[in-house]
DNA sequence: TCTGGGGTCCTAGGACCC
DNA sequence: TCTGGGGTCCTAGGACCC
């Protein structure tokens, strides 16, 4: 029994929110991101700006060179989160099987309420209208029998898209598309496949599985299956967060010194706040450093006891920093990442003192 | 004044244990 | 005198996504 999966993706989300909230920006090229003189990059570009070749992840300096009359806006993530929640709730009013991928994207498994992709199309149409009426935002939707196909369909339909790939038509739909359209194939994967003569998804579907497995290891079989339009992954409404982190690129490179150490303490505080807001503690503290040369390294340590304390996180990160930093080094980025998250231990100060001095009791 | 910030997942090597 | 193998944990790095 084929499933009916929707992939919904808000068009140029951050930029659209800015145009929504600031009517004077409508119809104009809008670029959301950090300023050019703080080494900012583009987080989102309106379609008017994209005409000039501006796209996300592009350095802001380059974006403004390509499109000098673009309006640059600093991101307002709280506002984007608010609207994102509103849209996700609309999705959930259709089905509880909603898997958000980011603020602007989600999978919906609507198999229970639509027997085929054509019924899925009707749902998708209705969804687009509801989102537009409730928020003013435009959502592109792809309809297919699995996640991979639905996602590629929503990509192909943009902007304001609604593309349906019917049961049985998956392989034919995918075959002419470049392998880069597949989730997980980036520049490196594309280059590796090009080396063995594979450029389209159809060529990958027809490739020798052993050869692909040699190039992609354990991922090979799933990759070929996806190229053939097969993807059994379920829509997962609940996913556990695995890590929490914060990092900062400085407007100018810093040597190890008071300024860098202060930045580290501030980042530690941010991370601690995020841990607390998620109700978790960490047992793994990682330091990320990017040198002026852009070379990036990471160092991490495992803690004997989980923590969400800013001071302790700062101390651990500082220890790692002291181990690697040389006096001649200049850093452009510093980050702290926490992994091995555990639910915060319900207890008062007394309990945590006790915990610190005695081995944790068996659960 | 090229190159953000939030993540996930995978690989690979070394330590250590039995 | 030469040198196992399986399993787990830890660490570092990299590809990729939005």
């Amino acid at each position: 029994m084929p499933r009916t999966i929707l992939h919904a993706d808000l068009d140029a989300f951050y930029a659209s929110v800015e145009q929504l909230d600031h009517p004077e920006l409508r119809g104009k090229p809008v670029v959301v991101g950090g300023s050019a003189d703080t080494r900012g990059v583009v987080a989102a570009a309106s379609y008017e700006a994209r005409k000039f070749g501006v796209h996300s992840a592009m350095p802001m300096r380059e974006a403004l060179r390509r499109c000098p009359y673009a309006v640059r806006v600093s991101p307002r993530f709280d506002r984007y989160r608010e609207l994102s929640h509103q849209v996700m709730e609309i999705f959930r009013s259709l089905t509880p099987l909603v898997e958000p991928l980011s603020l602007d994207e989600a999978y919906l498994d609507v198999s229970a309420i639509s027997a085929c992709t054509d019924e899925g199309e009707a749902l998708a149409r209705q969804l687009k209208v509801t989102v537009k009426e409730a928020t003013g935002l435009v959502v592109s939707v792809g309809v297919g029998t699995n996640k991979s196909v639905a996602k590629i369909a929503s990509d192909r339909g943009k902007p304001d898209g609604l593309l349906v790939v019917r049961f049985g038509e998956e392989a034919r739909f995918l075959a002419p598309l470049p392998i880069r359209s597949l989730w997980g194939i980036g520049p490196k994967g594309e280059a590796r496949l090009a080396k063995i003569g594979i450029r389209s998804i159809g060529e990958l579907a027809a490739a020798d599985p052993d050869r692909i497995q040699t190039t992609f290891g354990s991922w090979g079989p799933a990759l070929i299956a996806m190229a053939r339009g097969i993807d059994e992954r379920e829509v997962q409404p609940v996913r556990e967060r695995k890590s929490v982190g914060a990092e900062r690129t400085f407007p100018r490179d810093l040597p190890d010194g008071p300024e860098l150490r202060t930045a580290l303490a501030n980042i530690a505080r941010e991370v601690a706040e995020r841990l607390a807001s998620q109700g978790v503690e960490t047992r793994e503290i990682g330091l990320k450093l990017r040198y002026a040369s852009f070379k990036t390294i990471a160092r991490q340590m495992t803690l004997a006891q989980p923590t969400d304390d800013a001071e302790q996180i700062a101390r651990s990160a500082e220890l790692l920093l002291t181990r690697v930093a040389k006096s001649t080094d200049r850093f452009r980025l510093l980050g702290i990442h926490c992994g091995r998250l555990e639910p915060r231990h319900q207890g008062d100060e007394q309990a945590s003192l006790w915990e610190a001095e005695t081995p944790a009791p068996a659960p």
Side-chain angles (χ1 to χ4, degrees), chain A residues 260-271 310 314 318 334 336:
Chain A
L260 191 74
R261 301 285 169 151
T262 302
L264 184 142
N266 289 336
I267 292 169
R269 212 169 305 125
E270 268 183 59
V271 173
E318 231 175 309
L334 188 152
I336 297 176

Side-chain angles (χ1 to χ4, degrees), chain A residues 2-19:
Chain A
R3 296 177 291 162
T4 306
I5 308 294
L6 269 48
H7 179 266
D9 196 341
L10 294 158
D11 292 349
F13 180 46
Y14 303 164
S16 301
V17 173
E18 297 306 332
Q19 290 177 320

Side-chain angles (χ1 to χ4, degrees), chain A residues 110-282:
Chain A
V110 294
S111 306
I113 48 172
S114 61
C116 62
T117 42
D118 285 335
E119 291 185 29
E121 176 175 3
L123 278 179
R125 205 171 294 285
Q126 173 196 329
L127 201 61
K128 284 168 68 72
V129 172
T130 311
V131 169
K132 178 83 193 198
E133 283 176 353
T135 66
L137 294 166
V138 176
V139 61
S140 287
V141 185
V143 184
T145 54
N146 63 55
K147 282 180 163 184
S148 169
V149 166
K151 177 154 170 66
I152 294 171
S154 81
D155 283 348
R156 304 298 299 177
K158 278 175 166 295
D160 198 5
L162 203 187
L163 191 56
V164 183
V165 180
R166 289 185 181 78
F167 176 60
E169 289 180 354
E170 296 88 349
R172 218 176 327 146
F173 162 70
L174 295 172
L177 305 180
I179 41 168
R180 271 302 292 272
S181 316
L182 283 175
W183 198 92
I185 298 293
K188 305 285 177 176
E190 180 182 34
R192 270 191 285 171
L193 285 169
K195 216 174 269 180
I196 54 175
I198 294 172
R199 290 189 170 72
S200 71
I201 297 183
E203 286 164 352
L204 178 58
D208 172 15
D210 286 343
R211 193 138 187 230
I212 300 303
Q213 186 141 12
T214 314
T215 326
F216 287 94
S218 66
W219 191 38
L223 193 58
I224 291 203
M226 252 197 273
R228 295 177 178 170
I230 300 161
D231 176 10
E232 307 285 357
R233 291 173 303 159
E234 304 273 345
V235 171
Q236 292 182 292
V238 186
R239 290 180 60 185
E240 210 175 319
R241 183 182 301 275
K242 303 276 175 61
S243 72
V244 168
E247 58 187 60
R248 210 58 58 212
T249 293
F250 309 120
R252 54 188 176 80
D253 301 334
L254 296 179
D256 186 10
E259 220 179 326
L260 191 74
R261 301 285 169 151
T262 302
L264 184 142
N266 289 336
I267 292 169
R269 212 169 305 125
E270 268 183 59
V271 173
E273 275 167 24
R274 282 185 210 173
L275 289 170
S277 75
Q278 308 274 339
V280 293
E281 296 182 316
T282 176

Side-chain angles (χ1 to χ4, degrees), chain A residues 79-98:
Chain A
R79 175 66 177 143
Y80 308 150
R81 254 188 294 276
E82 181 185 339
L83 276 165
S84 176
H85 282 142
Q86 207 180 326
V87 172
M88 296 295 168
E89 281 313 307
I90 293 171
F91 295 169
R92 290 192 187 100
S93 68
L94 214 54
T95 170
L97 296 178
V98 174

Side-chain angles (χ1 to χ4, degrees), chain A residues 244-246 267 271 282-289 297-302 313 316-317 320 334-339:
Chain A
V244 168
I267 292 169
V271 173
T282 176
R283 287 202 51 192
E284 185 182 75
I285 312 244
L287 176 76
K288 176 172 165 180
L289 288 171
I297 64 163
R299 294 291 179 269
Q300 50 181 303
M301 62 192 289
T302 299
I313 293 166
S316 303
L320 294 169
L334 188 152
I336 297 176
H337 291 90
C338 297

